[in-house]
Amino acid sequence: MKRKKVEQISFSEKGLRDDVLESAVAIGIPEGTAGAIAEKVAAKTAVWVATRAVITSDDLYRRVAQEAEKYSADLAYVYQNRGKII
């Protein structure tokens, strides 16, 4: 049985902030509000990531969804279903 080669990527708070901002604007959150949400979600997620040696992208998306839920249920839904066909 062949194993799928795992690609390793490094976490980037700025990259996550930009991704959250883009997703928030795409679902209709005003840009100023989306920026504030993106800052808070990225900062809280970065603190969480720093305490772990290894995480999967699914772990990251679950954590982002958990943090985003505090500000927008729609944004949290986007991250809960990231990578799935809706």
Side-chain angles (χ1 to χ4, degrees):
M1 198 172 174
K2 282 188 172 181
R3 288 193 167 204
K4 185 177 172 183
K5 187 173 181 178
V6 177
E7 181 183 336
Q8 293 183 358
I9 58 171
S10 297
F11 174 77
S12 165
E13 185 176 346
K14 182 187 179 323
L16 178 60
R17 184 175 45 249
D18 293 345
D19 187 56
V20 172
L21 176 62
E22 183 179 315
S23 297
V25 170
I27 62 170
I29 296 174
E31 195 166 332
T33 304
I37 291 171
E39 285 287 332
K40 291 175 184 177
V41 169
K44 292 278 188 168
T45 304
V47 169
W48 178 82
V49 167
T51 64
R52 278 129 182 108
V54 176
I55 61 170
T56 66
S57 59
D58 288 340
D59 293 337
L60 180 62
Y61 294 144
R62 269 191 299 276
R63 186 58 184 203
V64 171
Q66 183 180 3
E67 292 298 331
E69 183 71 38
K70 299 172 186 173
Y71 308 104
S72 169
D74 293 336
L75 184 58
Y77 180 81
V78 168
Y79 279 93
Q80 288 167 348
N81 294 293
R82 184 63 59 100
K84 298 175 186 168
I85 298 173
I86 301 175

